[in-house]
Amino acid sequence: MHQLANLHGSFFLSVNSKKVTSDISYRQFPRHLTGLHSLYTVPAMTSKNPTVASSPTAGKGVVIDRTADILTFTLDNPSHGNEVTGAMFDAMLAELRKEASNPRPRVLRIRARGNVFCTGRERAGRTPAAIRRESARILKLKAALRSTPLISIAEVQGHAFGFGFGLAIVCDFALVAEHASLAFPEMRSGLAPAAIMSYLGEYALPRFAFPLVLFGEPIDPHRAQQIGLISQVCPADRLSAEAEALVERILRLDPSAVRRCKSFFLNAQQNFFYQNCRLAVDALTKGSLALLARKK
């Protein structure tokens, strides 16, 4: 089975980022916008188990690894809280678009190096046009991730704030280490987190979801699972093994059936009951015919 250290055929996307000096606090985040490119920052960190890519290109960014069945995005910007930069957005979005038109792997794993999963995204725009482009890119990546024919698994080994938490939520499965802290702290800096609010209500009831975005207070993974935002809480030393086991379960299923199942499931969430009933007739007919064809 694919391992993070196995980076054969991988590449690094080099990006630049500034030194960060603020600390993570479980109960408090920055309350004002400054000239920084991020709303929330973390101290420099390094992975306890560093791995070396086969690519000769050095730098920080995202490692994209592909095997026959698994596509892996590994956030590799640990000294800056694995903040996702514009170049990292573009690289991941390009891969997802390739899979949308001609899916080859069957599973997408989103992982991170270091002690945190992702503390947000780069905010480089300073003009209305640039900020609009950045905002649109966030939603394009989330839409591509949600609709990809691959089954997506987020492996959240550490803190996930803002965009990072939202990234995990939109995956088909979100496995989170039990010590992680999760939050949408944007309102503490005076910014309504519209990107996550555009789909948060599909995962959690409004009475649970609204306080999360309004007050920005962190929650623990058990609470996140209780209200429907993540799939599973794992001991930190079991996270990778649990993800591997999930991948194995997915790969034992019929690939075509899995893609049909995900496609119908996503469409059904957007439709009314009677629309889904009509569509289900077509889906059951096509699926049954495919099953009969395999038995011949």
Side-chain angles (χ1 to χ4, degrees), residues 279-293:
L279 292 172
V281 172
D282 292 336
L284 287 170
T285 301
K286 293 177 181 177
S288 298
L289 289 172
L291 186 61
L292 290 171

Side-chain angles (χ1 to χ4, degrees), residues 62-117:
V62 57
V63 178
I64 298 177
D65 184 31
R66 181 186 296 275
T67 67
D69 293 317
I70 304 168
L71 174 65
T72 304
F73 295 163
T74 303
L75 305 182
D76 187 38
N77 193 12
S79 62
H80 303 285
N82 283 321
E83 178 186 89
V84 178
T85 66
M88 293 163 69
F89 269 112
D90 291 341
M92 292 187 287
L93 187 55
E95 291 296 318
L96 291 173
R97 285 172 171 165
K98 290 178 186 177
E99 297 305 324
S101 59
N102 182 28
R104 289 157 290 175
R106 298 168 56 188
V107 174
L108 170 65
R109 298 179 70 170
I110 300 181
R111 316 178 74 181
R113 288 201 175 106
N115 297 332
V116 302
F117 177 70

Side-chain angles (χ1 to χ4, degrees), residues 4-287:
L4 178 59
N6 179 14
L7 297 175
H8 177 70
S10 307
F11 61 88
F12 272 103
L13 177 69
S14 298
V15 298
N16 295 319
S17 185
K18 66 190 297 300
K19 183 179 179 181
V20 179
T21 58
S22 301
D23 291 331
I24 287 180
S25 170
Y26 277 26
R27 301 188 180 278
Q28 186 172 358
F29 298 91
R31 295 178 179 272
H32 61 281
L33 284 169
T34 67
L36 295 176
H37 58 188
S38 176
L39 287 180
Y40 18 84
T41 55
V42 297
M45 297 178 182
T46 56
S47 174
K48 294 180 179 179
N49 298 300
T51 56
V52 179
S54 59
S55 169
T57 305
K60 302 289 185 179
V62 57
V63 178
I64 298 177
D65 184 31
R66 181 186 296 275
T67 67
D69 293 317
I70 304 168
L71 174 65
T72 304
F73 295 163
T74 303
L75 305 182
D76 187 38
N77 193 12
S79 62
H80 303 285
N82 283 321
E83 178 186 89
V84 178
T85 66
M88 293 163 69
F89 269 112
D90 291 341
M92 292 187 287
L93 187 55
E95 291 296 318
L96 291 173
R97 285 172 171 165
K98 290 178 186 177
E99 297 305 324
S101 59
N102 182 28
R104 289 157 290 175
R106 298 168 56 188
V107 174
L108 170 65
R109 298 179 70 170
I110 300 181
R111 316 178 74 181
R113 288 201 175 106
N115 297 332
V116 302
F117 177 70
C118 176
T119 58
R121 51 95 177 179
E122 180 183 48
R123 297 171 185 273
R126 292 294 179 268
T127 66
I131 292 172
R132 178 172 289 275
R133 285 194 298 271
E134 284 186 354
S135 301
R137 185 170 55 195
I138 297 170
L139 277 303
K140 287 178 182 178
L141 179 65
K142 295 288 184 69
L145 179 58
R146 178 182 166 98
S147 63
T148 179
L150 282 63
I151 301 299
S152 55
I153 303 171
E155 300 172 40
V156 182
Q157 90 288 7
H159 306 312
F161 303 145
F163 173 80
F165 190 10
L167 182 68
I169 290 172
V170 81
C171 288
D172 297 314
F173 295 91
L175 280 59
V176 181
E178 60 187 356
H179 70 276
S181 186
L182 311 168
F184 299 111
E186 288 90 337
M187 281 291 287
R188 296 192 171 202
S189 297
L191 179 67
I196 183 61
M197 288 193 288
S198 67
Y199 61 86
L200 187 62
E202 295 189 19
Y203 297 87
L205 294 174
R207 296 296 184 194
F208 296 132
F210 187 58
L212 287 180
V213 295
L214 181 65
F215 299 117
E217 294 175 347
I219 61 173
D220 64 56
H222 292 286
R223 179 58 176 166
Q225 184 183 33
Q226 185 182 46
I227 64 177
L229 296 181
I230 68 171
S231 311
Q232 185 176 341
V233 182
C234 308
D237 60 356
R238 288 288 306 162
L239 179 65
S240 181
E242 293 292 341
E244 295 283 357
L246 178 57
V247 170
E248 291 285 1
R249 290 184 65 189
I250 295 167
L251 295 181
R252 285 197 293 267
L253 299 172
D254 177 76
S256 297
V258 168
R259 291 184 176 126
R260 288 194 299 269
C261 182
K262 178 172 179 176
S263 177
F264 191 91
F265 185 84
L266 292 176
N267 288 335
Q269 289 181 291
Q270 309 302 316
N271 297 331
F272 294 109
F273 174 75
Y274 291 107
Q275 289 176 294
N276 287 332
C277 288
R278 291 194 296 270
L279 292 172
V281 172
D282 292 336
L284 287 170
T285 301
K286 293 177 181 177

